[in-house]
């Protein structure tokens, strides 16, 4: 398989897998793929990702982030809209641990942050378009429906 410019280097891929404990951040499975937190296709980035721009995700969850888990993926930082300048500013929630993390971009490290700190970080990035418990509005200023 030919590598694309947006594919992670082997060192980045391994660093992400090690940082995330060789488990899918969403469900905990071990059959991993590299999850780009920001879009790489259809006008997305063509650059190799940094550590904070990737997550370990199983193939099932990775596919579902663009389908039925899309709102949850945005709410928990597994996906980051392409307009966000620095994905590392968006914390990541790991359900199996019940914890939020800030991802380092220069080393394979994640630092625990409190729920309150994670919500502050989300509001700094998304402003009033981030609604705790519901995630991002479908588009800025839109009313929120029921939480996913």
């Amino acid at each position: 398989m030919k590598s694309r410019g947006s594919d992670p280097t082997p060192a980045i891929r391994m660093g992400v897998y090690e940082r995330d404990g060789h488990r899918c951040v969403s469900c905990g499975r071990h059959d991993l793929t590299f999850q780009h937190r920001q879009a790489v296709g259809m006008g997305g980035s063509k650059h190799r990702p940094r550590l904070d721009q990737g997550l370990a995700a199983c193939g099932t969850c990775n596919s579902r982030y663009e389908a039925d888990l899309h709102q949850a993926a945005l709410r928990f930082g597994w996906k980051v809209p392409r307009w966000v300048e620095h994905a590392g500013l968006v914390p990541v929630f790991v359900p199996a641990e019940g914890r939020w993390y800030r991802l380092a971009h220069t080393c394979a490290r994640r630092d625990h942050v409190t729920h309150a700190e994670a919500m502050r970080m989300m509001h700094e990035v998304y402003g009033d378009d981030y609604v705790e418990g519901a995630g991002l509005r479908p588009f800025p200023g839109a009313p929120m429906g029921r939480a996913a």
Side-chain angles (χ1 to χ4, degrees):
M1 180 167 86
K2 186 178 178 184
S3 127
R4 299 176 305 178
S6 59
D7 287 344
T9 64
I12 292 289
R13 182 182 304 271
M14 187 52 59
V16 165
Y17 290 175
E18 287 174 5
R19 179 200 63 212
D20 295 339
H22 295 275
R23 295 179 151 282
C24 174
V25 295
S26 304
C27 72
R29 290 175 51 188
H30 293 282
D31 58 323
L32 299 177
T33 63
F34 184 91
Q35 163 62 28
H36 290 86
R37 293 179 70 203
Q38 290 180 295
V40 292
M42 297 177 61
S45 175
K46 304 296 184 242
H47 302 286
R48 293 202 183 273
R50 297 185 318 252
L51 290 160
D52 62 337
Q53 295 172 323
L55 292 174
C58 71
T60 300
C61 287
N62 198 335
S63 296
R64 291 181 65 198
Y65 291 160
E66 298 299 335
D68 62 309
L69 286 181
H70 188 72
Q71 275 301 104
L74 290 169
R75 180 172 66 237
F76 296 137
W78 306 328
K79 292 294 286 183
V80 177
R82 67 181 68 177
W83 56 262
V84 173
E85 205 167 316
H86 301 289
L89 298 175
V90 177
V92 172
F93 184 70
V94 179
E97 300 173 20
R99 297 180 90 167
W100 285 93
Y101 293 96
R102 176 184 303 117
L103 305 179
H105 72 277
T106 58
C107 62
R109 189 184 82 231
R110 60 184 189 177
D111 298 315
H112 172 254
V113 295
T114 66
H115 177 80
E117 177 71 5
M119 295 303 99
R120 184 192 63 73
M121 292 170 71
M122 288 294 208
H123 283 281
E124 282 183 7
V125 173
Y126 299 123
D128 291 337
D129 289 319
Y130 185 82
V131 178
E132 187 174 347
L136 292 177
R137 298 176 192 276
F139 52 90
M144 288 301 295
R146 293 190 54 182

